[in-house]
Amino acid sequence: MVARTKPRTSNTLEFSADIQALKELLEIPFQIGGLAGQNNSGQTAQHTLCCAAKDPWDNEMLTNNPNVTPITPTAPMAANTHGGRAKCLQRLVRLDLPVPKTVALSFDAVHRIAAGDLPDIEKILAEFPEEALLCVRPSSQDPDWGGPGAILNIGMNDGRFVALGDLLGSEAAAALYARFVESYAIHVARLDPDMFDEITTEGQTALSQSLRAYEDEADEPFPQDRATQLSEVLRSMARAWEGTSARLLRQAKGAPADAGLGLVVQEMALGVGAGVSENGSGVLQLVSPSSGLPQITGRYLSQSQGRDALGDDAEALYLSCDPRGPSLEELAPDAYATLIDHTHQMRRKLREEMQLEFTLQDGVLHILDGVRVPRSNQAAVRIAVALAEDGIISREEAILRVEPRALSELLHRQVDHDAIRDVIGAGIAASPGAATGRIVFTSNAAQAAAARGEPAILVRRETTPEDIRGMQAAAGVLTERGGITSHAAVIGRGMGLPCVVGAARMRFHPRKKQLISEDGRVYDEGDLITLDGTAGEVLDGAPPLLEAALDDAFRQLMTWADEIRDIEVRANADTLADAALAQRFKSQGIGLCRTEHLFFDDDRLTVMREMIFAETSSDRAATLERLLPIQRQDFTELFRMMAGTPVTIRLFDPPLHEFLPTDKAGLRQLAEAVGLSVTDVERRVEAMGEHNPMLGMRGVRLGITVPEIYDMQARAIFEAAIAMARDNTVVVPEIMIPLVSTKREVELVQSRIAAVAAQVRAETGHEVTYKLGVMVETPRAALRASEIATHCDFMSFGTNDLTQMTYGLSRDDAGRFMSDYVQQGVFAEDPFHVLDPDGVGELLEMGVARARASKPDVLLSICGEHGGNPESIGLCRRLGFAYVSCSPFRVPVARLAAAQWAIRDRLAT
């Protein structure tokens, strides 16, 4: 019944681990139904498919027509011209698997059909037996982009009903016919599906009612001509793909606007007839889609077609022997064994874990389709590693097959993919992971909830450094304002805290202690919500969560990545807990320790406030003497934990007013500490406010005007390093000056730090060795890098502020309009998320070139959040940076992305 073409053995896909094989992987990634390359203009191949003939349908035979061609081992087709399904079927044919006869239509052909230009339908039908029923399935580049549903049993009409009734029985034939009538009516003729609701009978009676309903609704009899049926099915599916709704839907899933669709016309293997084990359909795969572990999964349903077995039918059988019920292995052991053998063969030859769709017709096995096994991110890692360990793919290819961002999901709890999601709001996915807790509106309330052992979601308009304690106590953070590099986002990522920022379409009422969802539901303090920081969504209630999964496969993949990458990855770590995470995720040191976060603990904050209120330099120095031993202990413990790896400590950066209280209780407490009236304290606090504090007295400006802070910090660093030396651990601290713009700023701070080093050396008798560098955060610093570099051992580009100042954007407020800018093409991506290669990137290039021109051995790096972005790491490698530094939870992402860039560069040379 089924016609197949025996493939040439020379075309059988064999694995090769040489460079050429990996180049082909990059140019046309082997993902069945996966993304394929684009041409230089950015358009998909549907607009570049070459047709030798003036008329694309003008061929005597279909064999040599690239637009409409039978699928044979040598047919001219590719995933980016005919879609993943068509290309996969060709690969199955090359493996000599029992694939029914199939004709593939290219993207260009389908585009023409949508415009009303049909191919020669009779020539297509001539490829199939006259009595064969057909199905049409979509073949897009990426299955995630969707597409119209398959239409089965094309060619079914009154005459075929009679013939199949004699062969299969009237009830089975009636079921086939009725299924086609209903599918054709709804998806092709676009009739109201409700017209079939009143048909509750089965068999021939149901068929008669379906035909009558069609005729009444369409004002014409159901079409009987197979060519007419096929023509209308092709036209309907082509037009559905190019409709506005379908285009917007797939664009939301990442597809280009002009993404093409192919179609495959395949001879039906009916799957109905006498015998439970001789006729039916099912799907089979060799691994679990959720874990990636070896596990034969799938279902088989007797007397069924397509993917019916995956429905809720209670009569569906298990595939392998199972104590819960009957299985195909028991009822049809030979067919089962053949299926397992075919699936293993596909795994070896196609170098992928495949899901096989099959039909049994009178005991004969037919392979209808093969697609990549749908998989979670955890399964994707395990599958890639297993294929490499089995010698099916190389380690390099395994590394390339895992999306770096997917690792973030493995490091945090996630909302179960199968959970019902009641979304009440959405914002920017600022820090991945999921958390359920009760709403609180203040940091004190979050700490109180933590003391009771109750998870809390801290809800704020925006967070400030004062909220650090509350964030540490909370299970997650939700803010009304902010962007990808806002305070809540940066600190949340560093702490591994699920965070959604910029949820401006929700209404925040902190005084009323109410949060109002986008659809108007009111949530009071104490109500239960869930944050999905991976998706940027706020959910009602407590959907089930999945725990983080760092298994052996993850560790093996990262080991391979570390062997290949050629750029170091450090972590941004502000606390000992951050440093412990950095060690856990195998960072190669700390590239940014923001010391200001150490001053918000209760035992330090009051002293810090007293220092701010001190009138003279000597008073400030005396007050800071009380912080010196605490800060020294901080650095000693940090150096000890990092075990001799590099530690870059950024000197104090934020404006001082951030440390001052704003509530009455805090003002009274400060008044008592400094011996002033509350009115005087309020006046002083107000006077210290700035119109634009992020561009005001902060960073090096503060270090020059209030030098006692930097003096104390430098002494604490040197004394901590000496303490480590006494324990036989050599530490060479790297001291970084923030927010420099001029050479003179560096000279002034450099001289004071050198003076402190000399004092410590004289007092202790120990040599003080350190490195001094700057954080390049202003455009001027990048432009004047040649003169600044002469005073530095290293320069680290702080791209959060550099992006902010280059664009003139507030990173805390840009989230309000950023999505509109990206959607309308103003920005290709959020520049706070993906490093802008043109504007900010050009500043980096200029800064790098000018710094190296004046000081060739200066160490260059990046320490903004872009350091954990895969695309941005490529630019950092190209510029020759020694390392990137990012939040601890993004370190594995950066390690994998760096390895992928190294592999790509090797393949390009």
Side-chain angles (χ1 to χ4, degrees):
M1 177 179 177
V2 176
R4 292 188 289 110
T5 303
K6 184 176 179 63
R8 300 188 309 180
T9 55
S10 61
N11 284 331
T12 301
L13 293 180
E14 297 287 352
F15 170 69
S16 173
D18 62 13
I19 293 297
Q20 185 59 36
L22 280 177
K23 285 186 176 180
E24 291 174 357
L25 173 73
L26 288 175
E27 291 167 1
I28 303 178
F30 180 65
Q31 298 178 354
I32 301 303
L35 289 171
Q38 293 184 332
N39 59 33
N40 293 332
S41 68
Q43 295 179 321
T44 57
Q46 88 176 66
H47 296 297
T48 60
L49 185 64
C50 177
C51 301
K54 183 176 181 180
D55 181 350
W57 313 136
D58 187 18
N59 290 83
E60 288 296 323
M61 300 292 291
L62 294 181
T63 306
N64 297 317
N65 186 345
N67 290 296
V68 183
T69 178
I71 294 181
T72 65
T74 58
M77 64 178 59
N80 62 339
T81 57
H82 291 73
R85 173 172 273 126
K87 186 60 185 176
C88 178
L89 287 170
Q90 183 181 50
R91 288 178 169 129
L92 300 185
V93 169
R94 288 174 176 173
L95 296 180
D96 202 19
L97 297 184
V99 178
K101 185 64 179 284
T102 308
V103 171
L105 282 73
S106 71
F107 296 170
D108 192 60
V110 175
H111 182 66
R112 289 174 177 273
I113 291 171
D117 186 7
L118 282 169
D120 190 327
I121 298 299
E122 293 297 341
K123 287 183 180 178
I124 295 176
L125 292 175
E127 296 290 325
F128 302 98
E130 186 175 350
E131 73 281 359
L133 299 184
L134 309 175
C135 71
V136 178
R137 300 170 185 262
S139 180
S140 59
Q141 283 184 251
D142 188 327
D144 291 339
W145 296 350
I151 304 293
L152 309 182
N153 302 327
I154 299 167
M156 197 69 190
N157 53 28
D158 295 347
R160 288 303 296 148
F161 167 66
V162 173
L164 288 176
D166 294 338
L167 181 65
L168 306 175
S170 59
E171 294 298 304
L176 294 176
Y177 198 179
R179 177 176 188 154
F180 178 48
V181 171
E182 182 172 343
S183 179
Y184 189 95
I186 296 172
H187 300 295
V188 179
R190 307 294 177 184
L191 302 181
D192 187 352
D194 294 343
M195 70 184 193
F196 296 105
D197 289 348
E198 298 180 1
I199 301 175
T200 57
T201 58
E202 296 181 355
Q204 296 185 61
T205 302
L207 172 60
S208 298
Q209 292 176 346
S210 295
L211 288 169
R212 189 178 306 111
Y214 180 93
E215 185 169 350
D216 290 343
E217 189 75 15
D219 292 329
E220 63 180 12
F222 187 77
Q224 298 292 301
D225 179 59
R226 189 169 69 155
T228 300
Q229 293 174 355
L230 179 59
S231 298
E232 294 305 315
V233 168
L234 295 176
R235 181 183 289 111
S236 173
M237 295 177 75
R239 289 178 175 174
W241 176 261
E242 300 207 353
T244 302
S245 298
R247 184 169 60 254
L248 292 175
L249 182 61
R250 63 178 176 268
Q251 281 184 267
K253 297 177 180 179
D258 62 348
L261 176 74
L263 295 172
V264 295
V265 183
Q266 189 176 72
E267 181 179 351
M268 289 287 298
L270 298 180
V272 296
V276 172
S277 60
E278 287 79 19
N279 294 280
S281 65
V283 296
L284 179 146
Q285 59 199 34
L286 300 176
V287 296
S288 163
S290 58
S291 70
L293 289 169
Q295 179 183 354
I296 296 174
T297 59
R299 301 296 290 275
Y300 170 79
L301 181 62
S302 177
Q303 310 300 316
S304 69
Q305 297 180 298
R307 302 175 73 84
D308 292 349
L310 294 181
D312 297 326
D313 197 308
E315 296 182 1
L317 307 181
Y318 295 100
L319 293 173
S320 56
C321 294
D322 195 299
R324 294 172 293 176
S327 68
L328 182 65
E329 183 179 11
E330 297 166 304
L331 297 177
D334 292 342
Y336 172 82
T338 303
L339 275 171
I340 296 298
D341 181 67
H342 286 338
T343 311
H344 277 293
Q345 184 182 8
M346 291 165 65
R347 181 178 186 266
R348 290 192 307 272
K349 299 297 186 179
L350 304 186
R351 304 184 300 124
E352 181 59 279
E353 289 290 355
M354 302 294 292
Q355 183 185 83
L356 184 149
E357 182 178 337
F358 67 93
T359 293
L360 288 176
Q361 180 65 40
D362 296 330
V364 178
L365 176 65
H366 305 276
I367 306 300
L368 307 183
D369 200 5
V371 297
R372 290 175 70 248
V373 170
R375 63 200 65 181
S376 67
N377 289 327
Q378 179 188 7
V381 171
R382 186 171 273 136
I383 288 170
V385 170
L387 289 171
E389 290 179 334
D390 291 345
I392 294 174
I393 64 175
S394 67
R395 293 179 178 182
E396 290 83 0
E397 189 168 347
I399 290 170
L400 289 173
R401 287 193 179 193
V402 177
E403 166 60 41
R405 290 184 184 85
L407 297 185
S408 293
E409 186 174 310
L410 307 186
L411 308 178
H412 305 83
R413 299 169 77 193
Q414 300 290 330
V415 176
D416 191 327
H417 297 290
D418 297 326
I420 298 174
R421 302 172 67 95
D422 183 2
V423 180
I424 63 174
I428 296 171
S431 181
T436 298
R438 300 195 178 278
I439 296 172
V440 296
F441 288 92
T442 66
S443 290
N444 287 338
Q447 294 176 68
R452 297 191 300 269
E454 298 177 357
I457 303 298
L458 179 60
V459 178
R460 304 283 284 164
R461 291 196 184 278
E462 59 186 343
T463 62
T464 68
E466 257 189 289
D467 291 311
I468 290 293
R469 305 298 290 176
M471 294 178 70
Q472 291 173 337
V477 175
L478 170 66
T479 70
E480 180 183 20
R481 303 168 186 152
I484 198 70
T485 56
S486 63
H487 178 270
V490 171
I491 302 305
R493 284 194 294 273
M495 296 169 58
L497 187 69
C499 182
V500 176
V501 302
R505 291 191 298 273
M506 302 182 77
R507 283 174 284 169
F508 290 61
H509 297 295
R511 291 187 179 180
K512 295 181 180 179
K513 298 188 183 304
Q514 285 185 338
L515 176 69
I516 302 178
S517 70
E518 293 183 15
D519 60 7
R521 283 179 277 178
V522 178
Y523 291 81
D524 297 308
E525 186 166 55
D527 287 344
L528 201 64
I529 62 172
T530 295
L531 290 188
D532 186 345
T534 305
E537 293 180 342
V538 187
L539 311 178
D540 177 75
L545 303 181
L546 300 176
E547 294 301 322
L550 299 184
D551 53 25
D552 291 341
F554 170 85
R555 286 185 280 272
Q556 183 62 77
L557 183 74
M558 299 312 300
T559 298
W560 293 341
D562 290 340
E563 293 171 355
I564 291 172
R565 64 184 170 88
D566 52 11
I567 185 172
E568 290 188 3
V569 178
R570 299 189 191 179
N572 300 342
D574 305 331
T575 65
L576 289 178
D578 293 341
L581 284 173
Q583 291 286 75
R584 177 187 176 195
F585 295 137
K586 309 295 184 185
S587 78
Q588 293 166 284
I590 293 176
L592 174 63
C593 175
R594 291 165 286 223
T595 53
E596 58 268 15
H597 294 141
L598 301 171
F599 291 101
F600 282 96
D601 288 346
D602 293 336
D603 60 338
R604 311 170 189 207
L605 187 56
T606 300
V607 180
M608 191 67 186
R609 288 170 173 173
E610 291 179 29
M611 185 278 298
I612 295 172
F613 268 65
E615 297 285 352
T616 66
S617 174
S618 58
D619 288 343
R620 286 193 292 269
T623 305
L624 286 168
E625 279 290 324
R626 294 157 58 189
L627 286 176
L628 174 62
I630 301 174
Q631 184 94 116
R632 180 174 58 234
Q633 184 64 26
D634 289 335
F635 294 140
T636 302
E637 292 176 353
L638 186 63
F639 293 150
R640 182 174 293 116
M641 178 167 287
M642 296 311 294
T645 58
V647 177
T648 303
I649 298 171
R650 184 182 74 181
L651 297 176
F652 195 88
D653 179 51
L656 292 178
H657 75 84
E658 290 189 359
F659 293 85
L660 298 177
T662 56
D663 61 311
K664 291 291 184 181
L667 291 169
R668 282 195 299 272
Q669 184 180 5
L670 178 57
E672 293 173 359
V674 298
L676 296 174
S677 68
V678 173
T679 301
D680 287 340
V681 168
E682 287 179 335
R683 189 179 300 114
R684 290 279 299 276
V685 169
E686 184 177 354
M688 292 190 70
E690 296 180 279
H691 292 293
N692 193 342
M694 297 310 293
L695 297 178
M697 197 170 80
R698 54 169 285 222
V700 69
R701 302 159 194 166
L702 186 64
I704 290 172
T705 55
V706 189
E708 297 81 10
I709 299 176
Y710 282 11
D711 290 350
M712 182 274 292
Q713 288 193 302
R715 174 174 284 272
I717 292 169
F718 297 147
E719 291 179 353
I722 291 172
M724 293 300 298
R726 293 189 180 116
D727 293 338
N728 297 317
T729 301
V730 177
V731 174
V732 180
E734 300 176 0
I735 301 174
M736 184 159 64
I737 309 170
L739 209 71
V740 300
S741 296
T742 71
K743 175 182 69 172
R744 183 58 179 159
E745 288 173 327
V746 182
E747 290 173 342
L748 290 171
V749 175
Q750 182 183 42
S751 64
R752 290 198 69 106
I753 290 176
V756 173
Q759 292 172 7
V760 172
R761 187 182 303 113
E763 294 168 5
T764 64
H766 282 270
E767 186 64 31
V768 177
T769 304
Y770 64 96
K771 295 180 180 180
L772 184 70
V774 300
M775 194 167 180
V776 181
E777 300 169 90
T778 68
R780 193 181 194 280
L783 294 172
R784 306 303 298 172
S786 59
E787 60 187 28
I788 292 175
T790 58
H791 298 278
C792 301
D793 298 304
F794 66 92
M795 301 177 73
S796 189
F797 289 82
T799 51
N800 294 348
D801 271 338
L802 187 59
T803 298
Q804 181 171 238
M805 295 187 191
T806 301
Y807 275 90
L809 289 174
S810 166
R811 65 187 188 185
D812 293 316
D813 299 314
R816 296 185 178 186
F817 60 84
M818 188 59 68
S819 61
D820 291 333
Y821 261 47
V822 173
Q823 289 173 6
Q824 297 184 45
V826 180
F827 298 155
E829 296 284 352
D830 181 344
F832 292 112
H833 181 60
V834 178
L835 188 62
D836 164 33
D838 301 322
V840 180
E842 186 173 355
L843 277 175
L844 262 62
E845 289 189 41
M846 295 169 65
V848 166
R850 294 177 182 184
R852 286 188 175 136
S854 62
K855 190 170 185 178
D857 62 343
V858 65
L859 188 74
L860 301 174
S861 65
I862 184 174
C863 63
E865 281 301 295
H866 295 107
N869 176 261
E871 292 86 352
S872 306
I873 291 171
L875 176 60
C876 294
R877 286 187 68 259
R878 183 169 62 82
L879 293 176
F881 284 176
Y883 67 85
V884 297
S885 188
C886 55
S887 300
F889 279 96
R890 303 184 84 182
V891 166
V893 176
R895 290 162 61 196
L896 181 60
Q900 290 183 345
W901 281 111
I903 294 170
R904 291 188 181 102
D905 280 359
R906 292 181 195 176
L907 298 178
T909 58

